[in-house]
Amino acid sequence: MISFESDYTEGAHESIIRRLAETNMEQTPGYGLDHYCESAKAKIREAFAVHDADVWFLVGGTQTNSTVIASLLREYQGVVAVDTGHIGVHESGAVEYTGHKVLTLPDHGGKMDATELEAYLEAFYADGTYEHMVIPGMVYISFPTEYGTLYSKAELRSIQAVCRKYSLPLFIDGARLGYGLMSGSNDVSVKEFASLCDVFYIGGTKVGALFGEAVVFTHAAPAHFFTTIKQHGALMAKGRMLGLQFDTLFTDGLYFRIARHADEMASILKGIFLEKGYRTFIDSPTNQQFFIMTRQRAAELHAKVRFEDWCPVDEDRIAVRFVTSWATKEENVLALREII
Amino acid sequence: MISFESDYTEGAHESIIRRLAETNMEQTPGYGLDHYCESAKAKIREAFAVHDADVWFLVGGTQTNSTVIASLLREYQGVVAVDTGHIGVHESGAVEYTGHKVLTLPDHGGKMDATELEAYLEAFYADGTYEHMVIPGMVYISFPTEYGTLYSKAELRSIQAVCRKYSLPLFIDGARLGYGLMSGSNDVSVKEFASLCDVFYIGGTKVGALFGEAVVFTHAAPAHFFTTIKQHGALMAKGRMLGLQFDTLFTDGLYFRIARHADEMASILKGIFLEKGYRTFIDSPTNQQFFIMTRQRAAELHAKVRFEDWCPVDEDRIAVRFVTSWATKEENVLALREII
Amino acid sequence: MISFESDYTEGAHESIIRRLAETNMEQTPGYGLDHYCESAKAKIREAFAVHDADVWFLVGGTQTNSTVIASLLREYQGVVAVDTGHIGVHESGAVEYTGHKVLTLPDHGGKMDATELEAYLEAFYADGTYEHMVIPGMVYISFPTEYGTLYSKAELRSIQAVCRKYSLPLFIDGARLGYGLMSGSNDVSVKEFASLCDVFYIGGTKVGALFGEAVVFTHAAPAHFFTTIKQHGALMAKGRMLGLQFDTLFTDGLYFRIARHADEMASILKGIFLEKGYRTFIDSPTNQQFFIMTRQRAAELHAKVRFEDWCPVDEDRIAVRFVTSWATKEENVLALREII
Amino acid sequence: MISFESDYTEGAHESIIRRLAETNMEQTPGYGLDHYCESAKAKIREAFAVHDADVWFLVGGTQTNSTVIASLLREYQGVVAVDTGHIGVHESGAVEYTGHKVLTLPDHGGKMDATELEAYLEAFYADGTYEHMVIPGMVYISFPTEYGTLYSKAELRSIQAVCRKYSLPLFIDGARLGYGLMSGSNDVSVKEFASLCDVFYIGGTKVGALFGEAVVFTHAAPAHFFTTIKQHGALMAKGRMLGLQFDTLFTDGLYFRIARHADEMASILKGIFLEKGYRTFIDSPTNQQFFIMTRQRAAELHAKVRFEDWCPVDEDRIAVRFVTSWATKEENVLALREII
């Protein structure tokens, strides 16, 4: 059955598989101290124009979020995120498990509003009892968001300005970064993205890799970040598996090329749904698309195509999610015309 | 340069690479809910004759140790291990990071002594102030140990008996399990191994896989272990990567075959060292071999072959470690005759 | 200046001070193993008609909340509370610091709604992704709430019924328990209170003691709760200070008598405010009273009497809090007639 | 029965009780923001000649240790202590509960050896795998130690020099600080004590107070230490109870006077034991005295006087502990002549 269930249903881009095979019996040092990791880091620095950045490779998204957040916070601090932020919902409390509260602001289509962030911080420090509360220690946003939406450059700059005013590091969860940066609606160039935050990660798992997320500290990583990674159980013995994958993805722009493909497929997919009279639940310009349909219609469609029920809309209707990826075939998208 | 530096210098057994390639574009559900994981679990249950066991796949050893240990302990409990146990030394405090103390007993060639364990537990509960101390909540041992040594079946039974007497789960770290079980000196059969403990893991990373450890709860996993894995950042989105690797390793006994090869290579290697007049630092019957040599000799050898300096023995001499693996070529072992 | 700032501005009821002095040079064993603690526990069991209850003494409220909550939850679980619950706001993230998320429901005048609790739990387990979220492990409510409001017996029974349905322990924060139980609006008798939950604590700090909270597990405390207390840094060396205070408070109904006094003072105070044309912000039947006034009026009053600005109501007006206690003198309440 | 069981069997020095009574109905702000705390801090700064020190009051020793240690360490760091250090033995894993390992060195009569500390740190950073281990982040010692022994000024300076070389804060647990400073064998003056470390605490619980420990950061406390205290459940609502006690103890040298009394009583006590032919287990110059006797003799004595069995010495003999305190009466010490 054709599937638009998620962007992690297949393995990896074929060139990754090929290189894994080609280099398989090579002997390298462990823990990311190999030449593939070095090469991948150099290519990432080049691609994002951050020549002094400190780049590290971890295995998965939840792991990356909790490791990076714990490394940036002091014990009395929490991380500010919107209520739909992945760290506060679908990560089984991994951040709290490291001792830190997720401090939530309302989301707007999955996004944080800079004005609301500033108002929260102002009110926080104006409150005479603030020392009895969790001190905000950093800000977490996702690009694209959990709803596929994007911050404009101006929006990111506004959030960054508030963060700087309050000396809060800004961390961008880029589990689907490629799909954000390559969207036709995005006005942030790859070369300027890194300048808009203090740390971000480049999602590999959902964008062509078997697994892996590349964390980019745009200035420098916290001291002893290697040890922090190990302490979080996030250090791969055969670290080159991560280096080799990111080296491949950042050779000749592969990462961005395959991400753009997914966005194009999503655009065609959305067009078909709109043609057929469906309405979007949220207007996403990236690889996750959300539509409204009756529960009955959704039930019927589940027999023909794989997708996810997202949330109830009202008594009769729900929102559903269709996801494209680097691996989506155009013929499968077009086949939706007959199916939906 | 020929390397005996560690057992995680190469990629994976070729049949794993082949199957990764063959199945690459298949679409499967995430998080280990795929048919490869199911198949691998069935094969592991069969191989270890534990038909009711609960099997889970994690990515790496430190991650597996801290996740399993945290899942079995209550907050006021610690884990008992010998002072050379991996969890207390080279895991960057991952266990303490989850709030639990590692309670140490002296090691004997890397092994725990059942009598000493019992004496510790007796003395603990005889001490009127024990409620002011960390309560022992489980026992952790490694098979083989960090020094390559093995417990005999009788020794394991003695430890298990003490654990049962005090209602402590016994957890065996099997990062190199294959190398232990296939050793000529081992008297524990694969079919009876599981009956000697409450939970163990089958190391994949060091025995033929790209990465991956299979945790086997011989009775049942703790409630909500899936959520615990996620909370520890240890849940792979493309979980089938783990299933597929273990399915391959446990098809036609591949795991045990390649492990036996490593042990045989180690045996030849040890013979060559002994022939040349070196003495062992610890007499290991598995794939890690430890020899004593002068610092100067070690320095000279480092120019010709890769291995690890282990620890000082006296002013002049150190212990060194040579490791074989599933990937070791006999010709490279034999080449040592000319080198050492 | 007359103060209605909080219920912890004075020391302790004079009979406590007297007994501290009288018993000062007595020698007793430490850590709560003394006869005062035993006697106090017996009197508490008697007062609340819970003859099998397990009673423990801790020092302060935040400490009690985080210790009790951590003792009841497994690592993958969180505690459900309303968004105004003390544990989620003014405890500096003490619960998260022990690794657990506070899962919030909307409050209704500080109270949790049983129907909303049930709806949340139903929706949680109906969500196919629930294993990626924090599992609800217990329910926390306050009696009276942080707004001075009270649950009716029927409301408590409804919440308890939902908790039982989902096997969730129900924990009642009784930092101001006396003021709740003695309120004229309260329909829960002291003898039946304990039957409505699994664990609660009797606040001493705010109701006549120098410090101290008595935790009552209505069935049995979690195993090794003594060690948990010590681990949380919550074990008093001279534990008899706690026992002696609670023994005094629960002799001849002192605790309830002084609590009733505070409620009566609050009632007179409220009457004066209403007479003077002020409106309540929340209609509290206990010792915390909340009124609405202009910012200017509040500023003027701060020069004459101590109280707390609570929160903004609109551009011009704020809510203020006036608190009575066991130590409030009627003449000071009556003096408000001239002041406000 | 006469008791030498511990130094926390009585209440508090009578002048503390008197002032508690006198000031009982005074209204003060909570959380240590009152004038008693201010006054006590000023007197402590004066007594220890640390005019810029940051002083905080906590309730008990274990709480103080885990709060101070957690506030000084980053998550990847551990605290170095000797194996008999209180934090590693009798605090129920409170330090590990906050995520940090206690890294142990051998003790010498309860003391850390500066040379061994330096050797450990040198070896640690010389080990190529140190990033896989817990990074030492601070040093913890006790003055006097858990065995009643004292560091000389030269020994403290040596430890401090090593700490400075490795940029490790030095924390001195002073649960019995008075008994150390007032010992006839002590060569560290009160005025210079603070200059020998970065943070220490002045034990009140065991030296004349009902409870309370005064933490002195000789330079400045970590940022947001108030919030850290609250997060650890260590913030007293009626904080003035702590201020008032320390204010009393540091008025007219009361703290030191009553501590000296205990040491004198210990000296007489030791003399009596030696006269009677007993041998010391450890030669302590402070208020804890350790003697060797047969198990049978100890059992007989338990019928006549209260003391603690400390540890086995050999098959027949054990070490026992007799403790004096600020409250010990000379007649009771002299009575031992007839008893032992």
Side-chain angles (χ1 to χ4, degrees), chain D residues 65-78:
Chain D
N65 284 332
S66 69
T67 304
V68 169
I69 289 168
S71 79
L72 288 170
L73 295 181
R74 298 305 309 248
E75 63 167 4
Y76 51 82
Q77 295 176 322

Side-chain angles (χ1 to χ4, degrees), chain A residues 9-195:
Chain A
T9 46
E10 287 89 355
H13 190 273
E14 59 179 351
S15 59
I16 284 177
I17 300 295
R18 193 185 325 119
R19 286 189 76 197
L20 275 179
E22 285 167 7
T23 63
N24 187 49
M25 294 307 287
E26 194 182 330
Q27 292 183 313
T28 58
Y31 307 118
L33 305 173
D34 60 276
H35 65 96
Y36 294 109
C37 285
E38 278 319 298
S39 170
K41 289 176 183 186
K43 287 175 181 169
I44 284 171
R45 285 190 201 101
E46 179 66 29
F48 285 88
V50 273
H51 302 290
D52 301 328
D54 213 343
V55 183
W56 297 83
F57 301 113
L58 282 84
V59 178
T62 293
Q63 180 187 83
T64 300
N65 283 332
S66 69
T67 305
V68 169
I69 289 168
S71 78
L72 288 171
L73 295 181
R74 298 305 309 248
E75 63 166 5
Y76 51 81
Q77 295 177 322
V79 52
V80 184
V82 291
D83 49 15
T84 52
H86 205 256
I87 53 169
V89 184
H90 280 112
E91 302 195 352
S92 295
V95 169
E96 287 84 0
Y97 190 57
T98 68
H100 301 287
K101 191 180 183 77
V102 180
L103 302 159
T104 50
L105 296 178
D107 78 291
H108 303 276
K111 295 198 287 180
M112 183 181 289
D113 180 85
T115 310
E116 287 177 6
L117 173 63
E118 186 161 23
Y120 156 71
L121 292 166
E122 260 180 41
F124 181 84
Y125 285 108
D127 184 332
T129 68
Y130 82 83
E131 288 191 300
H132 295 255
M133 298 195 275
V134 176
I135 311 288
M138 65 184 291
V139 172
Y140 163 97
I141 59 174
S142 304
F143 185 94
T145 70
E146 292 71 14
Y147 285 102
T149 51
L150 291 175
Y151 290 90
S152 69
K153 196 194 303 181
E155 287 170 337
L156 289 176
R157 281 203 175 135
S158 299
I159 290 174
Q160 186 182 36
V162 177
C163 288
R164 286 188 175 164
K165 183 171 164 189
Y166 286 91
S167 300
L168 301 176
L170 176 59
F171 171 37
I172 303 183
D173 176 334
R176 295 185 170 98
L177 185 61
Y179 303 137
L181 289 173
M182 292 301 109
S183 164
S185 301
N186 171 42
D187 72 346
V188 185
S189 77
V190 175
K191 297 282 186 203
E192 69 197 347
F193 183 78
S195 72

Side-chain angles (χ1 to χ4, degrees), chain A residues 188-205:
Chain A
V188 185
S189 77
V190 175
K191 297 282 186 203
E192 69 197 347
F193 183 78
S195 72
L196 295 163
C197 65
D198 298 285
V199 52
F200 65 99
Y201 76 88
I202 306 164
T205 302

Side-chain angles (χ1 to χ4, degrees), chain A residues 255-312:
Chain A
Y255 184 77
F256 299 113
R257 210 158 60 236
I258 63 179
R260 180 176 294 118
H261 167 78
D263 286 340
E264 287 167 358
M265 292 302 102
S267 181
I268 297 173
L269 183 149
K270 185 200 281 189
I272 294 172
F273 272 86
L274 296 180
E275 260 171 57
K276 297 279 184 175
Y278 291 91
R279 281 175 46 213
T280 57
F281 175 61
I282 279 181
D283 190 15
S284 157
T286 61
N287 76 314
Q288 299 187 84
Q289 296 295 323
F290 301 86
F291 305 102
I292 296 172
M293 57 181 67
T294 61
R295 283 167 202 275
Q296 195 191 318
R297 187 76 193 106
E300 289 161 15
L301 283 185
H302 278 303
K304 302 182 190 164
V305 57
R306 286 215 180 90
F307 61 94
E308 226 178 72
D309 289 352
W310 193 251
C311 64

